[in-house]
Amino acid sequence: DAGVTQSPTHLIKTRGQQVTLRCSPKSGHDTVSWYQQALGQGPQFIFQYYEEEERQRGNFPDRFSGHQFPNYSSELNVNALLLGDSALYLCASTSSWQTDTQYFGPGTRLTVL
Amino acid sequence: DAKTTQPTSMDCAEGRAANLPCNHSTISGNEYVYWYRQIHSQGPQYIIHGLKNNETNEMASLIITEDRKSSTLILPHATLRDTAVYYCIVRVVYNTNAGKSTFGDGTTLTVKP
């Protein structure tokens, strides 16, 4: 049973560019959440997708947007990249029908130069 | 979601039990206690969760006080591979908040030979 997968593993971008990160949830899960983790800090909630709609959002600007597809996979898009967007981006999935335990992917390390 | 307080760091001798405390004095009756750990730059790994009863699985035991204002994660026989940052989280499940976890900075556990 495949767990949560994310791609790419690492990414380097320059300021002002746009980036798209991808996530496939654990089998049987229908809810995907995205987190940003700066170095030395705990993960910070960006937003959550369920039934292809954004259900909750953390304190992140509109430059951060997302999408969920009918197969429950998800994308995180960040526009107009800033140096401060450099972080580990984590995807987590859960099931709205089960015990709601969240499982995390390995993350995508984004470096903005 | 209720906030949690954890010590910044702890040491444990290899083979001994590691006891990681967490305070969650503002926990609500419908909030669960979850524990995750994160090994350097990997995604957080789910360990265990509970509502009010003590729980045990193949990885650890979770002891929740009767008033639910604090809990302790117990790794019965710590190994060097248990060196990681341990996060205690409390959150509601089975509603629209499902999937959002509020992380603090966690406890860095160092297991020493």
Side-chain angles (χ1 to χ4, degrees):
Chain A
D1 176 27
V4 181
T5 60
Q6 293 185 243
S7 63
T9 304
H10 296 87
L11 204 53
I12 299 175
K13 292 286 188 178
T14 57
R15 281 177 297 175
Q17 285 189 311
Q18 179 265 344
V19 68
T20 297
L21 311 181
R22 296 175 175 82
C23 170
S24 291
K26 181 178 171 63
S27 177
H29 286 183
D30 57 6
T31 304
V32 174
S33 300
W34 287 92
Y35 293 80
Q36 179 195 66
Q37 186 174 24
L39 202 61
Q41 298 181 15
Q44 300 298 307
F45 176 77
I46 302 176
F47 45 53
Q48 178 192 97
Y49 277 83
Y50 172 67
E51 292 188 333
E52 302 180 45
E53 292 190 356
E54 183 182 295
R55 183 162 70 174
Q56 291 190 86
R57 189 178 184 90
N59 188 26
F60 279 81
D62 292 344
R63 297 187 298 108
F64 289 78
S65 62
H67 187 78
Q68 185 179 35
F69 299 93
N71 66 353
Y72 308 121
S73 66
S74 177
E75 289 182 349
L76 165 65
N77 301 293
V78 186
N79 295 322
L81 285 168
L82 304 173
L83 296 179
D85 294 331
S86 294
L88 180 68
Y89 288 85
L90 296 161
C91 170
S93 73
T94 188
S95 168
S96 59
W97 296 98
Q98 298 177 11
T99 58
D100 192 46
T101 296
Q102 257 190 332
Y103 293 90
F104 285 80
T108 294
R109 171 69 63 186
L110 173 64
T111 301
V112 182
L113 302 176
Chain B
D1 295 335
K3 291 186 177 180
T4 62
T5 304
Q6 300 177 253
T8 302
S9 63
M10 295 182 64
D11 291 342
C12 178
E14 189 178 19
R16 302 296 294 271
N19 297 281
L20 290 87
C22 179
N23 287 320
H24 30 80
S25 58
T26 60
I27 192 170
S28 300
N30 60 349
E31 287 183 311
Y32 284 68
V33 179
Y34 279 80
W35 283 83
Y36 289 84
R37 72 181 182 184
Q38 188 173 28
I39 298 172
H40 183 62
S41 291
Q42 298 179 20
Q45 177 190 22
Y46 165 76
I47 301 173
I48 198 167
H49 75 282
L51 182 62
K52 55 183 179 180
N53 297 319
N54 298 337
E55 302 287 345
T56 296
N57 63 20
E58 64 278 4
M59 289 184 66
S61 295
L62 174 61
I63 309 297
I64 302 174
T65 58
E66 191 170 347
D67 63 7
R68 301 208 326 120
K69 292 185 177 181
S70 66
S71 61
T72 300
L73 178 73
I74 302 172
L75 307 178
H77 304 287
T79 71
L80 299 179
R81 289 177 296 178
D82 292 322
T83 293
V85 179
Y86 287 76
Y87 294 101
C88 168
I89 300 159
V90 294
R91 64 184 178 92
V92 179
V93 298
Y94 297 115
N95 71 4
T96 56
N97 281 328
K100 174 184 177 183
S101 295
T102 302
F103 287 81
D105 292 332
T107 296
T108 299
L109 174 69
T110 303
V111 180
K112 299 184 175 182

